C-alpha cells in the first residue's frame, strides 16, 4: 500500500508567505519597493506567482499597488494605525464579550499564548499574537463579525511589527494577554472585554501618540476604556 504524498504548497502561496514573513520581520520596510523580477529571482520562481502573491497582499493591506510607483510595502503612520485600531476597538471587545457569554471554548487562545511566549523571532510572535486575538473573537457567534475582524489582522500585525522595532513592548502585551484570558476563562465577559479594550488602546497610544485623541470615539457603549 502506497502512502499519499503530502500536498506541496503552490508557488504563489510559498511566495506569499515568504514576502509576508519579510514584511513582519522588518526585512522589507514600509515604503520599500517590491520589484517582481527581483522577488522572482530570490524565490526561484517566475513572475506570475509573485504577481499573484502581491495582489493578495494588496487585498489584505500589507502592500500598496500604484500605477506610477509600482508595488511598495504599506507605510505605517498615525493615520493608518488609527484606522486599523479604531476598527479593532469598536468590534473586538464586543466579539470577545459574546464569546465568553456563549461559553465558547478558549483552548485555542491558551495555545496561541503559549506559542507567543516560546516564539524565537518577531514574525513567529506576531503570528501567535494574531492567533490569540482571533481565538477570542472568532467564536462570538456572528461569522460576519469574525470576517470583519479578520480583514484587519495583517494590517494590525504590520503596525505591531513597526512599533516593536522602535520599542519592543511585547513582554508587557503578553502580561495583558494573560489577564484578558484569565478573565475570559473565569466567565467575566464584561471584565474581559474591558481589559481587551484597554490593551488595544494602550498599545496604539504608546506606539502612535498622535492617535490618542481618537480613543474616546472608540469607547464601548458602557464607556469603558
Amino acid at each position: 500500500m502506497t502512502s499519499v504524498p503530502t500536498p506541496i504548497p503552490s508557488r504563489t502561496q510559498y511566495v506569499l508567505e515568504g514576502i509576508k514573513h519579510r514584511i513582519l520581520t522588518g526585512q522589507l520596510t514600509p515604503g520599500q519597493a517590491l520589484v517582481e523580477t527581483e522577488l522572482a529571482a530570490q524565490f526561484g520562481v517566475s513572475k506570475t506567482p509573485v504577481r499573484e502573491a502581491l495582489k493578495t497582499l494588496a487585498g489584505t493591506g500589507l502592500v500598496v499597488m500604484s500605477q506610477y510607483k509600482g508595488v511598495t510595502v504599506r507605510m505605517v503612520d498615525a493615520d493608518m494605525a488609527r484606522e486599523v485600531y479604531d476598527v479593532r476597538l469598536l468590534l473586538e471587545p464586543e466579539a470577545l464579550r459574546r464569546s465568553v457569554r456563549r461559553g465558547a471554548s478558549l483552548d485555542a487562545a491558551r495555545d496561541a499564548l503559549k506559542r507567543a511566549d516560546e516564539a524565537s523571532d518577531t514574525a513567529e510572535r506576531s503570528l501567535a499574537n494574531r492567533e490569540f486575538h482571533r481565538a477570542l473573537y472568532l467564536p462570538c457567534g456572528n461569522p460576519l463579525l469574525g470576517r470583519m475582524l479578520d480583514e484587519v489582522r495583517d494590517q494590525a500585525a504590520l503596525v505591531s511589527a513597526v512599533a516593536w522595532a522602535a520599542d519592543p513592548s511585547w513582554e508587557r502585551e503578553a502580561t495583558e494577554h494573560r489577564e484578558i484570558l484569565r478573565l475570559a476563562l473565569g466567565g467575566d465577559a464584561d471584565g474581559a472585554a474591558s481589559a481587551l479594550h484597554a490593551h488595544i488602546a494602550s498599545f496604539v497610544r504608546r506606539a502612535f501618540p498622535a492617535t490618542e485623541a481618537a480613543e474616546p470615539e472608540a469607547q464601548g457603549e458602557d464607556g469603558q476604556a
Side-chain angles (χ1 to χ4, degrees), residues 6-209:
T6 302
I8 299 174
S10 70
R11 288 186 174 88
T12 298
Q13 187 65 28
Y14 166 67
V15 174
L16 173 65
E17 294 302 325
I19 295 174
K20 181 185 292 189
H21 184 277
R22 294 182 184 188
I23 291 174
L24 297 181
T25 56
Q27 296 176 59
L28 294 172
T29 58
Q32 183 171 341
L34 301 176
V35 182
E36 288 183 9
T37 53
E38 294 179 358
L39 290 169
Q42 291 170 16
F43 287 103
V45 299
S46 68
K47 290 196 298 182
T48 299
V50 173
R51 186 177 303 117
E52 293 303 313
L54 291 176
K55 287 179 181 178
T56 300
L57 290 169
T60 64
L62 280 184
V63 307
V64 176
M65 306 184 87
S66 168
Q67 180 179 353
Y68 303 103
K69 296 182 179 180
V71 184
T72 58
V73 179
R74 183 172 182 176
M75 293 294 295
V76 175
D77 56 21
D79 288 340
M80 182 270 200
R82 179 170 60 246
E83 291 174 4
V84 173
Y85 277 74
D86 273 355
V87 172
R88 294 187 64 195
L89 284 166
L90 287 166
L91 301 181
E92 202 167 321
E94 177 59 25
L96 172 58
R97 181 184 285 111
R98 295 185 181 196
S99 294
V100 176
R101 286 177 177 171
R102 296 180 71 238
S105 171
L106 298 176
D107 289 345
R110 185 189 289 109
D111 293 342
L113 190 58
K114 181 179 180 181
R115 290 199 304 274
D117 287 340
E118 298 172 348
S120 59
D121 61 43
T122 302
E124 186 179 351
R125 185 174 299 115
S126 175
L127 179 60
N129 280 341
R130 284 189 297 158
E131 289 304 320
F132 171 78
H133 281 272
R134 190 169 192 262
L136 296 179
Y137 68 68
L138 202 60
C140 67
N142 185 328
L144 177 58
L145 179 55
R147 289 196 298 271
M148 291 173 69
L149 284 164
D150 274 350
E151 286 291 317
V152 298
R153 289 177 74 218
D154 285 342
Q155 295 175 59
L158 178 58
V159 172
S160 295
V162 171
W164 284 347
D167 178 21
S169 60
W170 60 270
E171 289 185 353
R172 172 175 176 172
E173 290 150 36
T175 299
E176 294 171 354
H177 283 175
R178 284 189 283 271
E179 176 62 10
I180 293 166
L181 184 58
R182 183 189 70 80
L183 291 166
L185 290 174
D188 186 352
D190 291 334
S194 180
L196 178 58
H197 188 286
H199 165 69
I200 296 171
S202 65
F203 172 79
V204 75
R205 183 174 60 244
R206 292 193 309 270
F208 300 92

